[in-house]
Amino acid sequence: MTKIIHLISKNCSLIIKVEHNPEILHWGAKINQIDPELLLSTERPISQARLDVDVPLSLCPELGSGHFNAPGIEGHRNSYDWAPVFKLTEQQLSDQSVVFTLQDDVAKLQLEIDIKLDFDSDVIQKRIKVTNIGESKYNLSKLSATLPLPTHANELISFYGRWSREFQTNRQSFTHGGFMQENRRGRTSHENFPGLLAGSEHFNEQTGQVWGFHLGWSGNHQLRADVRSDGRRFVQAGELLLAGEAVLQPSQSYTTPWLYATYSNTGLNGISKRFHRFVRNNIIKFPVNKPRPVHLNTWEGIYFEHNPAYIMKMADEAAVMGVERFIIDDGWFIGRHGERAALGDWYLDKQKYPNGLEPVISHINDLGMEFGLWVEPEMISQDSLLYKAHPDWVLELQGYHQPSGRWQYVLDLQNPDCFNYLFERLNDLLTTYNISYLKWDMNRELVQPGHQGKPAVNGQTNALYALLDKLLAQHTEVEIESCSSGGGRIDFEILKRTHRFWASDCNDALERQTIQRGMSYFFPPEVMGAHIGPAESHTTRRMHHINMRGMTALSGHMGVELDPVKVPEQERQAFAKYITLHKKYRTLLHSGDSFRLDSPDKSQNIYGVFNADEMLITVCQLTMPDYALPSPLRINCIDNKAKYNVKLVEVPESSFQLMKQRPQWLDKTLTLSGENLKEIGLTLPILDPESAMMIHFEKVK
Ligand code: DGJ
């Protein structure tokens, strides 16, 4: 007997038709009441010259049932049992979740499909577990979570990138064929962020129906979206398993990472609002009542030149500017004079720090700042004491030459001795020193990820999670930043055990605008590490005025990344100004609803954040404006019935090149209605390229 399961959240419905193999009938807008004749009204015709039966797009589509696109499961038992067909045996239903158990008695496999719908955020989570219930081993080559899309989802936005250019978006039509992304880099990667957005034609920031997807996994993955020849379409995501990576012995199981997905009928802003809410309520483990401290990170200031007296001088200046956490980056440990040596030797370099690290930390603490330290635990340099003692701890394939990356290799975290050594070193550092924060870096890909000769990206990734979990269980107050040559490891699963991301090594504010915009679809501003760098960017050599740098860093989790001793007094004062502004607005920034506005002029990036009382909007002029006059700022997410005091927070101080007379409101506080702001808009000044302004809207009580 066919049944219907209806999971409901604040704004969404997930309706599943339960037969021998369950199928999602509807995932989208909330359905208040299901028609009794829904099953009849959704019955599909059977077309000529195809199979004689209707083939459902099931929760784990099967080749053996006549799904001719990518199946949800692939594998074999010594060349048999390669096209399993499952039958529902059990279902456990609760308010917000359902677990289906399915079995194939021929292939001797069991599936457990776990689906949850978070009421508050409208985010779906789905994962699948397969268990080998046979008596011989089963070679699993793929297990992915599949979610259907309606036929009017006919455009896709995917993500691409590289080092210093993360989270770039690519839009494409999704009407035939599809999209496929495979990540084999052994980390989440700069190149293939595991996220995808699908939507109705011309969906944009503010309008349209959009379905958003993210696979929470820090290893290899496959992400695809397919349009079948019958027009039905789906997104599928899972771990990319290397040949022989998942061999299930009798009774053994493999579980996929969680696929997170959400639906919005208010464009991309609805997607980010939902993902942000989910992340805040379910993923981030951060002291709730503590504001995120403003950072100074030493990397771009001093690189490997560590002199404790000088670092203390940097700390003095940092404290004056309003910095709240001072982080010593790479270069502090024994023999680390450059990139080519010493990774693995996690002991303080006594030549650089003859009096130990304690006086530096005390100095920083006395100035009222917390102290943080950089580490890169998963790595080993050939030129290191650790390598001399344990060359066999490297993740490798015996008998082959392995290219190094940044002159370093990856440690095999599944080797218990290696795991214990790393835990002991990190635990010792956190116990010996007053460290409140670790910047956990990871600077190369996994080329030959072999553990005892067998493929081990899955094992390595889980061992990394275990190492972080063990450390955090011991040091509950310590916060960790996930850095991987910038944004190479940004995903929900690593965020469960970290507190912030270094979004990119590119501190060029212009590039950062695009990177941060892409990242903002999935991650709230408080986990987006954003620093003011030196005037000349170290990755692009482009120069930026402090206005552009300050405004770009201000909206994330703010920091500075330079040597404050060397910069002119005027710049230092400007840092202090942006830090003060950030502190003034950080509660709003780090807890409000973020949004982006569509502008008819693509040379502008407009984004903001609001709560019940106030709103902050940044307008960044990326390149030369398209028109002589900017379009009025029309804010669709504003409360129509409210009145707002509208006040300029920041506009470039230096003289405008493109404008000879400023709009008068820039020097006043206006009181405007939500309705006017939405429908008529606010006239903007003409901004020069690579500059930004900020406006504050306070609701009149
Ligand atoms: C790469 C990181 O992304 C940088 O911020 C810095 O920490 C360097 N590694 C240090 O080696």
Side-chain angles (χ1 to χ4, degrees):
M1 156 89 176
T2 309
K3 276 202 268 171
I4 288 180
I5 290 176
H6 188 186
L7 299 182
I8 297 173
S9 62
K10 248 189 210 159
N11 308 291
C12 291
S13 276
L14 180 71
I15 302 177
I16 306 172
K17 173 177 162 187
V18 185
E19 274 186 328
H20 67 275
N21 201 339
E23 175 187 15
I24 293 175
L25 272 191
H26 168 82
W27 165 39
K30 188 166 180 165
I31 305 292
N32 291 307
Q33 191 143 22
I34 292 185
D35 286 334
E37 303 207 301
L38 177 75
L39 289 177
L40 269 181
S41 69
T42 53
E43 190 185 298
R44 285 177 288 265
I46 293 177
S47 60
Q48 281 293 3
R50 299 184 78 116
L51 298 178
D52 301 327
V53 291
D54 174 63
V55 178
L57 182 45
S58 62
L59 296 176
C60 186
E62 300 150 349
L63 175 62
S65 296
H67 172 79
F68 298 116
N69 294 72
I73 182 166
E74 283 180 292
H76 67 97
R77 195 187 297 278
N78 202 14
S79 294
Y80 292 88
D81 301 334
W82 48 273
V85 174
F86 293 90
K87 258 205 182 102
L88 183 70
T89 56
E90 207 187 313
Q91 102 196 13
Q92 283 167 281
L93 183 64
S94 62
D95 278 356
Q96 296 306 135
S97 68
V98 56
V99 181
F100 296 108
T101 306
L102 299 101
Q103 203 154 298
D104 176 338
D105 292 329
V106 180
K108 297 265 182 284
L109 293 172
Q110 190 185 66
L111 290 186
E112 242 176 69
I113 304 179
D114 203 342
I115 301 177
K116 305 182 195 194
L117 173 59
D118 183 52
F119 185 83
D120 206 36
S121 66
D122 305 310
V123 168
I124 290 181
Q125 278 176 260
K126 180 175 177 188
R127 74 173 176 195
I128 309 185
K129 175 171 150 187
V130 60
T131 304
N132 177 9
I133 51 171
E135 275 157 22
S136 57
K137 65 180 186 206
Y138 192 82
N139 289 289
L140 182 72
S141 35
K142 172 182 169 183
L143 185 63
S144 287
T146 306
L147 285 172
L149 287 167
T151 44
H152 60 280
N154 55 16
E155 287 183 16
L156 290 179
I157 292 182
S158 59
F159 293 82
Y160 69 96
R162 58 175 190 270
W163 174 71
S164 269
R165 202 166 147 72
E166 297 84 346
F167 287 102
Q168 306 298 309
T169 52
N170 185 40
R171 194 171 186 126
Q172 67 183 72
S173 144
F174 183 53
T175 45
H176 295 283
F179 163 82
M180 208 226 318
Q181 167 176 302
E182 289 196 340
N183 173 41
R184 296 167 194 274
R185 291 172 189 268
R187 58 179 174 185
T188 322
S189 90
H190 304 79
E191 288 76 5
N192 301 300
F193 172 71
L196 193 66
L197 302 160
S200 52
E201 203 162 348
H202 306 310
F203 73 90
N204 57 29
E205 301 293 352
Q206 294 161 234
T207 58
Q209 292 194 46
V210 188
W211 290 259
F213 303 85
H214 169 59
L215 186 77
W217 180 242
S218 316
N220 290 340
H221 70 258
Q222 192 194 61
L223 177 63
R224 58 186 305 151
D226 287 77
V227 180
R228 296 165 37 131
S229 62
D230 60 19
R232 283 183 286 172
R233 53 206 70 197
F234 62 92
V235 167
Q236 195 174 73
E239 183 178 5
L240 185 148
L241 296 168
L242 297 173
E245 190 163 14
V247 179
L248 303 179
Q249 299 300 332
S251 319
Q252 230 184 343
S253 302
Y254 166 85
T255 307
T256 64
W258 284 109
L259 172 62
Y260 301 88
T262 193
Y263 160 78
S264 147
N265 60 358
T266 51
L268 290 160
N269 285 333
I271 292 291
S272 44
K273 179 177 164 180
R274 288 167 172 82
F275 275 137
H276 293 188
R277 182 162 296 172
F278 182 82
V279 166
R280 283 173 175 161
N281 295 345
N282 302 282
I283 304 253
I284 301 178
K285 296 186 186 80
F286 192 85
V288 189
N289 298 321
K290 184 182 167 192
R292 299 207 167 226
V294 173
H295 284 189
L296 185 140
N297 189 57
T298 59
W299 180 240
E300 290 186 45
I302 54 171
Y303 296 103
F304 294 105
E305 297 293 314
H306 286 221
N307 170 338
Y310 192 77
I311 289 178
M312 289 196 252
K313 252 167 85 182
M314 289 171 76
D316 291 339
E317 293 303 339
V320 174
M321 280 154 35
V323 167
E324 297 160 310
R325 183 184 274 153
F326 190 95
I327 298 116
I328 295 191
D329 205 285
D330 198 354
W332 59 268
F333 49 100
I334 211 161
R336 183 69 167 172
H337 306 299
E339 311 187 304
R340 294 188 181 227
L343 290 171
D345 299 342
W346 303 110
Y347 297 88
L348 185 72
D349 190 332
K350 290 279 173 52
Q351 276 176 5
K352 287 184 184 172
Y353 294 87
N355 302 322
L357 202 50
E358 289 88 345
V360 182
I361 300 178
S362 302
H363 186 78
I364 289 167
N365 292 158
D366 290 347
L367 288 164
M369 294 183 289
E370 295 179 14
F371 173 71
L373 194 65
W374 179 94
V375 287
E376 196 183 356
E378 295 139 89
M379 296 295 153
I380 183 165
S381 311
Q382 251 177 6
D383 182 3
S384 67
L385 300 170
L386 187 69
Y387 190 84
K388 277 188 194 93
H390 302 288
D392 53 322
W393 283 7
V394 171
L395 202 62
E396 63 181 353
L397 284 185
Q398 292 265 321
Y400 294 94
H401 168 76
Q402 170 178 186
S404 58
R406 209 193 188 201
W407 295 281
Q408 64 198 49
Y409 296 88
V410 186
L411 284 166
D412 180 0
L413 301 189
Q414 288 187 92
N415 174 332
D417 293 336
C418 175
F419 183 97
N420 292 339
Y421 166 78
L422 291 175
F423 177 76
E424 184 279 321
R425 279 296 76 228
L426 294 163
N427 186 39
D428 182 70
L429 288 171
L430 293 177
T431 311
T432 310
Y433 303 116
N434 186 20
I435 296 174
S436 75
Y437 179 86
L438 283 180
K439 176 174 176 180
W440 186 299
D441 208 344
M442 195 279 196
N443 284 308
R444 61 155 293 173
E445 288 121 340
L446 276 50
V447 180
Q448 290 178 14
H451 167 69
Q452 297 171 349
K454 295 187 176 163
V457 180
N458 176 279
Q460 178 79 1
T461 310
N462 282 318
L464 164 72
Y465 294 154
L467 181 60
L468 283 158
D469 290 342
K470 189 167 176 187
L471 208 61
L472 286 165
Q474 196 88 2
H475 301 275
T476 49
E477 301 302 310
V478 170
E479 288 166 43
I480 299 181
E481 174 175 71
S482 172
C483 171
S484 182
S485 302
R489 192 152 63 195
I490 298 183
D491 61 79
F492 285 6
E493 193 57 38
I494 197 82
L495 188 57
K496 287 182 186 164
R497 50 231 357 129
T498 54
H499 305 83
R500 178 200 212 243
F501 296 113
W502 183 223
S504 179
D505 272 354
C506 191
N507 248 348
D508 173 322
L510 180 62
E511 299 294 335
R512 269 285 182 142
Q513 285 285 329
T514 315
I515 294 167
Q516 294 179 186
R517 184 178 177 122
M519 187 172 168
S520 77
Y521 293 118
F522 301 89
F523 299 92
E526 63 269 27
V527 299
M528 190 189 292
H531 294 179
I532 302 181
E536 184 184 88
S537 157
H538 75 154
T539 43
T540 63
R541 294 283 169 241
R542 207 183 263 140
M543 301 284 293
H544 279 122
H545 188 272
I546 184 63
N547 156 269
M548 179 70 176
R549 289 181 284 144
M551 293 302 290
T552 303
L554 196 150
S555 296
H557 177 192
M558 192 185 179
V560 281
E561 177 101 15
L562 38 70
D563 177 357
V565 179
K566 293 230 174 76
V567 295
E569 180 54 27
Q570 216 189 347
E571 278 259 307
R572 255 201 306 265
Q573 283 176 15
F575 301 151
K577 173 183 129 183
Y578 290 106
I579 290 173
T580 308
L581 268 184
H582 174 77
K583 287 181 184 169
K584 182 170 173 189
Y585 293 119
R586 80 177 142 191
T587 309
L588 167 63
L589 286 164
H590 293 173
S591 64
D593 285 349
S594 300
F595 62 92
R596 297 154 302 270
L597 294 182
D598 294 298
S599 167
D601 183 345
K602 299 287 170 257
S603 68
Q604 285 181 329
N605 186 18
I606 308 177
Y607 51 96
V609 57
F610 69 92
N611 63 23
D613 305 318
E614 52 179 342
M615 172 180 300
L616 205 55
I617 293 189
T618 304
V619 180
C620 183
Q621 191 63 48
L622 303 172
T623 55
M624 196 66 173
D626 220 13
Y627 306 105
L629 288 176
S631 311
L633 181 69
R634 292 165 68 228
I635 309 158
N636 79 321
C637 50
I638 207 151
D639 179 355
N640 239 11
K641 295 193 187 81
K643 282 210 177 308
Y644 292 86
N645 289 331
V646 181
K647 201 171 181 335
L648 180 75
V649 177
E650 156 89 2
V651 80
E653 275 164 23
S654 56
S655 61
F656 291 96
Q657 295 300 318
L658 298 178
M659 178 173 66
K660 54 186 168 198
Q661 185 178 309
R662 336 175 341 133
Q664 284 182 48
W665 75 262
L666 295 184
D667 305 311
K668 298 190 161 68
T669 301
L670 300 181
T671 303
L672 298 171
S673 68
E675 189 186 30
N676 273 235
L677 283 165
K678 189 175 190 172
E679 304 299 341
I680 303 172
L682 178 66
T683 299
L684 295 174
I686 306 166
L687 294 174
D688 292 335
E690 299 175 30
S691 70
M693 67 180 292
M694 184 178 261
I695 312 162
H696 185 248
F697 302 76
E698 190 187 6
K699 222 185 225 183
V700 181
K701 293 263 160 69

